Amino acid sequence: MPLAPLLALLNNIVEIRLDAIQFVVDMRRPVAMKADGIGIWQNILEFVVKLAVIANAFLIAFTSDIIPQIFYRYRHHGTSGLEGYVNYTLAHLPSGCNYSIAHVPSGQCSYRGYRDVHGDHTEYYYELLVIRLAFVVVFEHFVFAIAGLIDLMVPDIPRSLYLKIKREEYLSQQALVEVEHEDEMMKD
């Protein structure tokens, strides 16, 4: 009879027993301790939330066409539609450029941007930039105000849990009073 399988079986039995002892004795779950909150993680999560709100405000302000369309509407047409908006947002290549693109005559190539014929930003670009930055500030203040109101309106501990905690405290105080009263009677 070969000896290797028997030794392997013996090794596995001993290893299983040693692992069981290690799990039961050495690797016990630590005793739970009461904590007031989640500690430093609260500050980290609040920072991440604020960073996310600001990042979203910048994304809305600088990647969407909502703000430029509203600004165009009020600057050029009062409260009417967006007639001519697309042409207004396009800049034309300077006349000195010699780009040749198939089927496009020279000098008629347009790209998205608020630039004049020399390639410099127009006054409209800077006005729009200020409005976008103001939107970022207003948006993040609005979101933080709403979050603050929700934080004030929603209690940290639900009322039913608060009542259960108070009842448990009351019952534990009553039990202590009874024990002290019994101790005093035994002394007498």
Short mmCIF file of all heavy atoms in Angstrom, two decimals, residues 23-50:
data_model
loop_
_atom_site.label_atom_id
_atom_site.label_comp_id
_atom_site.label_asym_id
_atom_site.label_seq_id
_atom_site.Cartn_x
_atom_site.Cartn_y
_atom_site.Cartn_z
N PHE A 23 -9.41 29.63 14.05
CA PHE A 23 -10.62 30.43 13.85
C PHE A 23 -11.40 30.63 15.14
O PHE A 23 -11.96 31.69 15.38
CB PHE A 23 -11.54 29.80 12.80
CG PHE A 23 -11.08 29.98 11.39
CD1 PHE A 23 -11.10 28.92 10.49
CD2 PHE A 23 -10.62 31.21 10.95
CE1 PHE A 23 -10.67 29.11 9.19
CE2 PHE A 23 -10.19 31.39 9.65
CZ PHE A 23 -10.21 30.33 8.77
N VAL A 24 -11.44 29.60 15.98
CA VAL A 24 -12.23 29.67 17.20
C VAL A 24 -11.52 30.47 18.30
O VAL A 24 -12.14 31.23 19.02
CB VAL A 24 -12.58 28.24 17.69
CG1 VAL A 24 -13.20 28.26 19.07
CG2 VAL A 24 -13.51 27.57 16.70
N VAL A 25 -10.21 30.29 18.43
CA VAL A 25 -9.48 30.88 19.54
C VAL A 25 -8.78 32.19 19.16
O VAL A 25 -8.93 33.21 19.83
CB VAL A 25 -8.45 29.87 20.10
CG1 VAL A 25 -7.63 30.51 21.21
CG2 VAL A 25 -9.15 28.63 20.59
N ASP A 26 -8.03 32.16 18.08
CA ASP A 26 -7.17 33.30 17.75
C ASP A 26 -7.86 34.40 16.96
O ASP A 26 -7.52 35.57 17.09
CB ASP A 26 -5.96 32.82 16.94
CG ASP A 26 -5.07 31.90 17.76
OD1 ASP A 26 -5.14 31.98 19.00
OD2 ASP A 26 -4.32 31.10 17.15
N MET A 27 -8.81 34.06 16.14
CA MET A 27 -9.39 35.05 15.23
C MET A 27 -10.83 35.36 15.58
O MET A 27 -11.70 35.38 14.73
CB MET A 27 -9.28 34.56 13.78
CG MET A 27 -7.87 34.33 13.33
SD MET A 27 -7.77 33.73 11.66
CE MET A 27 -8.31 35.13 10.75
N ARG A 28 -11.08 35.65 16.81
CA ARG A 28 -12.44 35.99 17.23
C ARG A 28 -12.79 37.40 16.80
O ARG A 28 -11.92 38.26 16.63
CB ARG A 28 -12.56 35.89 18.74
CG ARG A 28 -12.54 34.49 19.24
CD ARG A 28 -12.84 34.48 20.70
NE ARG A 28 -12.51 33.19 21.28
CZ ARG A 28 -12.60 32.92 22.55
NH1 ARG A 28 -13.00 33.85 23.39
NH2 ARG A 28 -12.28 31.75 22.99
N ARG A 29 -14.05 37.64 16.68
CA ARG A 29 -14.53 38.98 16.38
C ARG A 29 -14.25 39.87 17.59
O ARG A 29 -14.49 39.47 18.72
CB ARG A 29 -16.03 38.94 16.10
CG ARG A 29 -16.62 40.30 15.79
CD ARG A 29 -18.09 40.23 15.58
NE ARG A 29 -18.36 39.48 14.37
CZ ARG A 29 -19.58 39.19 13.95
NH1 ARG A 29 -20.63 39.58 14.64
NH2 ARG A 29 -19.76 38.51 12.84
N PRO A 30 -13.74 41.06 17.36
CA PRO A 30 -13.46 41.93 18.51
C PRO A 30 -14.75 42.35 19.22
O PRO A 30 -15.83 42.36 18.63
CB PRO A 30 -12.77 43.14 17.89
CG PRO A 30 -13.12 43.11 16.45
CD PRO A 30 -13.38 41.68 16.10
N VAL A 31 -14.60 42.69 20.47
CA VAL A 31 -15.75 43.12 21.26
C VAL A 31 -16.23 44.46 20.71
O VAL A 31 -15.44 45.38 20.49
CB VAL A 31 -15.37 43.25 22.75
CG1 VAL A 31 -16.53 43.77 23.56
CG2 VAL A 31 -14.87 41.92 23.28
N ALA A 32 -17.51 44.55 20.47
CA ALA A 32 -18.08 45.77 19.90
C ALA A 32 -18.02 46.90 20.92
O ALA A 32 -18.28 46.71 22.10
CB ALA A 32 -19.51 45.53 19.47
N MET A 33 -17.64 48.07 20.42
CA MET A 33 -17.61 49.26 21.26
C MET A 33 -18.56 50.30 20.69
O MET A 33 -18.69 50.42 19.47
CB MET A 33 -16.19 49.84 21.32
CG MET A 33 -15.21 48.91 21.98
SD MET A 33 -13.57 49.62 22.23
CE MET A 33 -13.19 50.35 20.69
N LYS A 34 -19.20 51.03 21.57
CA LYS A 34 -20.15 52.05 21.13
C LYS A 34 -19.38 53.25 20.57
O LYS A 34 -18.38 53.68 21.12
CB LYS A 34 -21.01 52.48 22.32
CG LYS A 34 -22.12 53.40 21.94
CD LYS A 34 -23.01 53.70 23.12
CE LYS A 34 -24.14 54.61 22.67
NZ LYS A 34 -25.04 54.91 23.76
N ALA A 35 -19.87 53.77 19.48
CA ALA A 35 -19.26 54.93 18.84
C ALA A 35 -20.33 55.99 18.62
O ALA A 35 -21.51 55.68 18.43
CB ALA A 35 -18.62 54.54 17.51
N ASP A 36 -19.91 57.25 18.66
CA ASP A 36 -20.85 58.35 18.47
C ASP A 36 -21.25 58.52 17.01
O ASP A 36 -22.32 59.01 16.69
CB ASP A 36 -20.27 59.66 19.00
CG ASP A 36 -20.15 59.65 20.51
OD1 ASP A 36 -20.94 58.93 21.14
OD2 ASP A 36 -19.30 60.37 21.04
N GLY A 37 -20.38 58.18 16.11
CA GLY A 37 -20.66 58.36 14.69
C GLY A 37 -19.67 57.55 13.87
O GLY A 37 -19.09 56.57 14.34
N ILE A 38 -19.45 57.97 12.64
CA ILE A 38 -18.52 57.25 11.78
C ILE A 38 -17.14 57.89 11.78
O ILE A 38 -16.29 57.52 10.98
CB ILE A 38 -19.07 57.14 10.34
CG1 ILE A 38 -19.29 58.50 9.71
CG2 ILE A 38 -20.31 56.29 10.31
CD1 ILE A 38 -19.71 58.43 8.25
N GLY A 39 -16.94 58.86 12.66
CA GLY A 39 -15.61 59.44 12.84
C GLY A 39 -15.18 60.32 11.69
O GLY A 39 -15.96 61.12 11.15
N ILE A 40 -13.93 60.16 11.29
CA ILE A 40 -13.34 61.01 10.25
C ILE A 40 -14.01 60.78 8.91
O ILE A 40 -13.98 61.65 8.03
CB ILE A 40 -11.81 60.76 10.16
CG1 ILE A 40 -11.11 61.79 9.28
CG2 ILE A 40 -11.53 59.36 9.64
CD1 ILE A 40 -11.14 63.17 9.84
N TRP A 41 -14.65 59.63 8.73
CA TRP A 41 -15.33 59.35 7.46
C TRP A 41 -16.46 60.34 7.19
O TRP A 41 -16.78 60.61 6.04
CB TRP A 41 -15.84 57.91 7.43
CG TRP A 41 -14.71 56.94 7.28
CD1 TRP A 41 -14.17 56.15 8.25
CD2 TRP A 41 -13.96 56.70 6.09
NE1 TRP A 41 -13.14 55.43 7.73
CE2 TRP A 41 -12.98 55.75 6.41
CE3 TRP A 41 -14.01 57.20 4.80
CZ2 TRP A 41 -12.08 55.27 5.48
CZ3 TRP A 41 -13.11 56.72 3.87
CH2 TRP A 41 -12.15 55.78 4.21
N GLN A 42 -17.05 60.88 8.24
CA GLN A 42 -18.11 61.88 8.06
C GLN A 42 -17.55 63.10 7.33
O GLN A 42 -18.15 63.60 6.37
CB GLN A 42 -18.69 62.29 9.42
CG GLN A 42 -19.80 63.30 9.33
CD GLN A 42 -21.08 62.73 8.74
OE1 GLN A 42 -21.36 61.55 8.88
NE2 GLN A 42 -21.85 63.57 8.09
N ASN A 43 -16.39 63.58 7.76
CA ASN A 43 -15.76 64.74 7.11
C ASN A 43 -15.35 64.42 5.68
O ASN A 43 -15.50 65.25 4.77
CB ASN A 43 -14.55 65.20 7.91
CG ASN A 43 -14.93 65.69 9.28
OD1 ASN A 43 -16.06 66.08 9.52
ND2 ASN A 43 -13.99 65.64 10.21
N ILE A 44 -14.83 63.22 5.47
CA ILE A 44 -14.41 62.83 4.12
C ILE A 44 -15.62 62.77 3.19
O ILE A 44 -15.57 63.28 2.06
CB ILE A 44 -13.66 61.47 4.17
CG1 ILE A 44 -12.33 61.64 4.90
CG2 ILE A 44 -13.45 60.92 2.77
CD1 ILE A 44 -11.62 60.35 5.22
N LEU A 45 -16.71 62.17 3.63
CA LEU A 45 -17.91 62.08 2.80
C LEU A 45 -18.51 63.46 2.51
O LEU A 45 -18.96 63.73 1.39
CB LEU A 45 -18.95 61.18 3.45
CG LEU A 45 -18.61 59.69 3.47
CD1 LEU A 45 -19.64 58.92 4.28
CD2 LEU A 45 -18.52 59.14 2.07
N GLU A 46 -18.51 64.34 3.50
CA GLU A 46 -19.01 65.70 3.27
C GLU A 46 -18.15 66.43 2.24
O GLU A 46 -18.67 67.15 1.38
CB GLU A 46 -19.05 66.47 4.58
CG GLU A 46 -20.16 66.03 5.51
CD GLU A 46 -20.12 66.72 6.86
OE1 GLU A 46 -19.22 67.57 7.08
OE2 GLU A 46 -20.98 66.41 7.70
N PHE A 47 -16.83 66.25 2.31
CA PHE A 47 -15.94 66.87 1.33
C PHE A 47 -16.21 66.34 -0.08
O PHE A 47 -16.28 67.11 -1.04
CB PHE A 47 -14.47 66.64 1.72
CG PHE A 47 -13.50 67.12 0.69
CD1 PHE A 47 -13.26 68.48 0.55
CD2 PHE A 47 -12.84 66.24 -0.14
CE1 PHE A 47 -12.36 68.94 -0.40
CE2 PHE A 47 -11.96 66.68 -1.10
CZ PHE A 47 -11.71 68.04 -1.23
N VAL A 48 -16.39 65.03 -0.20
CA VAL A 48 -16.66 64.42 -1.51
C VAL A 48 -17.99 64.93 -2.07
O VAL A 48 -18.11 65.20 -3.26
CB VAL A 48 -16.63 62.88 -1.41
CG1 VAL A 48 -17.17 62.23 -2.66
CG2 VAL A 48 -15.22 62.40 -1.13
N VAL A 49 -18.99 65.09 -1.21
CA VAL A 49 -20.29 65.60 -1.65
C VAL A 49 -20.16 67.03 -2.16
O VAL A 49 -20.69 67.38 -3.22
CB VAL A 49 -21.33 65.50 -0.51
CG1 VAL A 49 -22.56 66.32 -0.82
CG2 VAL A 49 -21.71 64.06 -0.28
N LYS A 50 -19.44 67.86 -1.42
CA LYS A 50 -19.26 69.26 -1.87
C LYS A 50 -18.49 69.32 -3.17
O LYS A 50 -18.83 70.11 -4.07
CB LYS A 50 -18.55 70.05 -0.78
CG LYS A 50 -19.43 70.30 0.42
CD LYS A 50 -18.73 71.05 1.51
CE LYS A 50 -19.70 71.21 2.69
NZ LYS A 50 -19.07 71.83 3.84
#
